[in-house]
Each structure stands twice: as structure tokens, then as C-alpha cells.
Amino acid sequence: MNKVPVDQSGSPVAAPAKRPAPAGASRRRKGAGAALLCASGLLALPAQAQEAIIPAPAPTHTVTGFTMLDYASLTLTDGTDFDLFGIHYMQRVNDWLYVGAGAFAPMVEGNYSGFYGADVTLHAQRNIFGNWFANAGLSLGAAAGGQSNTNISRLSGDGVYGRAYIGVGYAFENFSLGLNYSHVEMPGGQVRSDAVNLFVQMPFSYDRGDFRDAGRQLGVQDFNAPRTDNILSFTYTHVSQIDPTARYTGDIGFASLQFSHFLNDNVYAFFGIDIGVSGLMFFNQAQGGLGYRWALSDNVNLYGQLGIGSGGYVTNTYDAGPGLAIYPRATLEYLWGNGFGATASLGYLAAPQGTARNWTIGLGLNYHMSGPRSGRTDRSGEDYTLRGVRLNVLGRATSDIDFNGRVTDGIGLVALQADYLLDENWYLAAQVAAGTETFRGIAGYAEGYIGAGWQTNLTASGRLQGYAQLLYGLNDVGVSPAHEVGGMIYPAIGFSYGLNDRVALYGQIGATYSTGQYLGTHTNAFETYTVGLGLSYRFSLPTR
């Protein structure tokens, strides 16, 4: 029989209370914490109950899913060949359901370089026996492109894109491979085809925090911190055409964004996009591939990479043939601290099945999001901060559009805005929007903006916030530089109402104005008002 401790007067003495686990307790201490709970509970049975030791909640949660590459060879309604290569990010919702988003473009069939689309996908997948699984999905989005101004309408219809698919796959150790039967259609256009498409799935996982924990500091011991580098690169790229044969013979300016994930200390895989911001507005290109990093000193790195993808413009304006692009590039980086580095790059961009050949030179900025600091093997003392992220998907409707003195009916758009919180009130924002209707009879109207915003503190209920933001960017009003209106400003106000920590209602009222008419760079003008409503998906990411 256990004895209860007493003092000199014979009164029972309560056991000293134990301190609760600190908020940043690491996962590896949870097993020990559970054992201590059991032991202390047994010891306390005949005595007064002790305070329970409750482990602190994990600061992050592991998110899983897969990246899916797929390729389909299609036949257009006029009997000619066309193909689409797609890349999609699929995040797991439960044991069998995934949601995702992606982009697609032609590669080696037809003559439609510059055709480009994006979609959202609902995907179901279950094992059927052994390593075999069945999958099915439905995608909806927007796309446009063609050989000429007239051909855009004939090929792409109103610009709405839909795809349904079903098939089987086999899971290997590090990837899955399979075949789907799919139906692809763009109402009102020539894209309407059944096809058998090959797909590859590559699993991923990463840690994220709750949105309410944005601003919280973490150490590498508090979560599954990346062991290799992840880099986000922003570059302005000047493209000089070599002996051009198509209608446009001038230079092109790209705004380039690239994400690089290191497979080990030196080898990395990357995915990048380039958008035309001068010369050929909204020239579009996407590529992925592998690269290698050489550390020349503590602060200087040299990167060499080879990208393969698709890109272009209306084919008779920039001849990239079916779209296939080969893009080797070298980049020199100087690190100045806090994960930032200045970059200079030199590359060669070629369309093997077209006549387009280009030299590229760029200046940019690298942001090392995670991974050990350069040259370090001991990662102790490396701190991370959970930064709030909002992905806002909304439908936007415009008022009548005043384009160069001529009033045109308004159109509907679907928009995606990403917000990155700097603190409780200020945030950076980027938005892309694509028309779900034709603008002046042509599919493929698009807008793209970057900027900053300010938001109010949460109300007493902790759900409602207002915000104001100012974004600057471009829109795509035609297939000829003669139609362009120059830069666009997009001031907007709106609200966010939290349904829970992850999902919120999101609304926005704004106006778009072209700036070229005031700066003297363009004679065309563009003005309209817009209202939007949608949903926000909210979380936080650990970054240095």
C-alpha cells in the first residue's frame, strides 16, 4: 500500500504541480510526454490529483498530395492534330479526394504556340488491389490561343475549358504511372475531342501552420523543417530575337517567376513561368527541368539549368510552331543576407519546331525560403516565422468597358489573388484574371497585377476584416501591339468574413484604368469598374 506524505502535524502534503509543456515543444518529445502522463497518473491514484501534463499542440500540420503531369494527343473538329501537356498541383482532402489547380499548353502537334489555359480540378482516387488504383476527375477553366486573330475565335470559342477523365494507374516506390480516357471541350470552338492520355504522379508533403498562428516564431526543432533549399526567384528578362521571320521583329520583356526545390545540396528541380510585359504583352511561357548549383564562395553561387516547356504568342506574330520551347540558362547570384540574393542571368530560348530563336539576359532577386543557410551544417539557432497566406478565388464582373473611346459590353472573369502577410495589417498581393466571355468577339482576355494592401484588425467577433489595396499590372486586349493600352492600375476595397480559420467569404469592388494614356506611352485607353465575390483559403507557411 502506498503511503501519503505528511508534514510534522500529520496533514497530507500535496504533490508539487508540474509546469505545462512549452508552446514550442517538438514532436519528438510527445512520446516522452505521454509516458510521463501515465506514470504520474498511477502514482497519484491514492493521493490528491496532480495537474495533467498536456502536450502543446503541434505548431504545424503535414500536408500531402501529388504533382501530376499529363499529356494528351487530340483531334480538332476540322480533323487536324492538336496536343496538350498539363501540370497540376493536387492537395489531399481525405483518403480518396483531392482538389487542385494547374495549367496546360500545346507542345509538338498543330501550329498553335501561345495557346495557354488554366483550370481547377476535383480528383478522386482509390486503391483497387495491390499497387493498382482507379482515378477520375473533372476540370473547369479558361484557355485561348490560335494562329491569328481570326483563328483565336475559331479555335477557342468563348474561352471556357472543360475536361472529364477516368482511368487506372500503378504506384511505384517514388511515383505513379497510368492512363486516363478523357473528353476535352471548349464550347463554340474546335477543341472537342476524346483522347487517351498518359499521366505521371509524384507525391509531395510539406508543413504548414494555422492562419491564426501567423507571426509565430519557430525553431527547426519545432516542425519538419526542410533539409534542403527552396528558392523563389523574380527576374526581369530582356529577350532579343535572332533573325525573326514572323510579323513581330522587336524585343520582348518578360516578368519571370521560378520556384526551385533542391533534391540535395546542389541538384534542384524547378518550374517557371514568363509573362510578356513589353514588346508582346502577355506573351506566355512555362517550363520545368533540372539544374545544378556551384558555390563559388560563401556569398556567390553559379546556377546552370535546362528548361523544357511550351510558350509563344499568336503564331503568325511570333513563330514558335506547336509551342515546344528549349531554354538553357546560367545565373550568377550574390547573397547579401536574410535569405536574399541579387541575380544576373544569360540564356538561349529556342522553339525547335518553329523559327523563333532568342538570346535572353535578366536581372532579378532570389528569396531562399527555407533550408539550411549557405555553408552551414549545424542548423541550431535557425529561426522560422509563420507567414499568413490567403488564396482568394473569386468571380468578377465588369461594368461596360470604355476601350479607346468606344463602349463595349462588360464581361465576366474568374480571378485568383494570393496575399502574403507582412504583419497584422500590411500584405503583398498578386492577382491574375481570365475572361469567361469574349472581349469584342475574341477569347482570351486576361489581366495580371502585383501590389500591396492594408487590412483592418479583426472585429470583436474575430471574423470580419476590411481592406484596401492598390495593384499595378497589364491586361491583354488584342493580338497586336497596336491595340495595347500600357500599364494598368487596379485600386480596390473589400472584406473578408471568416467561416472558420481556413475558409472565409471574400468580396472586392474596384476599378481598372490604363496609365499609358496619361504617361504618353500609348494612345489607347481602357477604363471599367468591377465587382467580385468568392472564397479565401487561409493558412500560414514557415519561412526564414
Side-chain angles (χ1 to χ4, degrees), residues 50-66:
Q50 300 184 35
E51 277 191 45
I53 303 175
I54 303 175
T60 61
H61 316 280
T62 299
V63 176
T64 61
F66 57 84

Side-chain angles (χ1 to χ4, degrees), residues 81-352:
D81 294 332
F82 187 57
D83 67 345
L84 288 175
F85 177 81
I87 179 170
H88 288 78
Y89 165 94
M90 298 290 189
Q91 183 171 303
R92 182 188 294 273
V93 177
N94 57 32
D95 289 343
W96 57 274
L97 185 64
Y98 299 77
V99 294
F104 48 91
M107 292 285 285
V108 296
E109 295 184 3
N111 195 34
Y112 302 102
S113 62
F115 182 97
Y116 186 80
D119 60 13
V120 294
T121 299
L122 191 65
H123 177 94
Q125 184 164 309
R126 291 295 296 262
N127 284 347
I128 48 180
F129 59 87
N131 288 349
W132 291 93
F133 62 87
N135 75 162
L138 183 65
S139 301
L140 184 65
Q147 295 172 331
S148 64
N149 192 342
T150 303
N151 183 253
I152 290 178
S153 300
R154 187 164 64 248
L155 177 69
S156 308
D158 293 337
V160 177
Y161 168 89
R163 175 176 178 248
Y165 58 90
I166 187 169
V168 296
Y170 186 86
F172 296 90
E173 184 176 359
N174 296 314
F175 70 97
S176 299
L177 183 67
L179 292 173
N180 281 327
Y181 177 80
S182 62
H183 178 77
V184 178
E185 186 163 344
M186 297 187 67
Q190 294 176 313
V191 181
R192 185 168 68 250
S193 177
D194 295 330
V196 175
N197 65 284
L198 175 72
F199 69 85
V200 179
Q201 297 176 356
M202 294 167 289
F204 67 78
S205 65
Y206 66 92
D207 277 20
R208 73 170 182 209
D210 293 333
F211 187 70
R212 60 176 169 265
D213 287 336
R216 180 176 175 178
Q217 296 263 319
L218 302 177
V220 294
Q221 74 279 1
D222 293 326
F223 73 109
N224 186 26
R227 299 299 170 183
T228 55
D229 212 351
N230 291 289
I231 302 175
L232 197 61
S233 304
F234 305 89
T235 308
Y236 176 79
T237 305
H238 180 81
V239 181
S240 298
Q241 296 196 68
I242 304 171
D243 299 325
T245 62
R247 291 171 53 186
Y248 182 75
T249 60
D251 296 338
I252 309 170
F254 287 166
S256 304
L257 176 67
Q258 178 174 305
F259 175 75
S260 302
H261 171 67
F262 278 74
L263 306 176
N264 56 37
D265 288 343
N266 299 309
V267 178
Y268 62 94
F270 70 91
F271 178 76
I273 57 174
D274 304 297
I275 301 295
V277 295
S278 65
L280 291 177
M281 301 288 194
F282 269 89
F283 181 107
N284 58 76
Q285 178 172 276
Q287 71 278 330
L290 295 173
Y292 191 89
R293 174 174 61 187
W294 293 269
L296 304 182
S297 71
D298 288 343
N299 297 95
V300 180
N301 293 312
L302 177 64
Y303 301 81
Q305 66 182 45
L306 175 62
I308 300 176
S310 178
Y313 201 72
V314 176
T315 314
N316 67 356
T317 303
Y318 175 90
D319 180 19
L324 177 65
I326 307 296
Y327 192 10
R329 185 171 60 167
T331 301
L332 192 67
E333 174 190 43
Y334 177 77
L335 293 166
W336 73 69
N338 295 322
F340 288 96
T343 63
S345 61
L346 180 66
Y348 178 74
L349 173 61

Side-chain angles (χ1 to χ4, degrees), residues 489-514:
I489 57 171
Y490 179 31
I493 59 173
F495 74 93
S496 176
Y497 182 82
L499 302 178
N500 54 45
D501 187 59
R502 292 188 182 180
V503 180
L505 289 175
Y506 183 82
Q508 190 172 101
I509 299 174
T512 54
Y513 300 95
S514 59

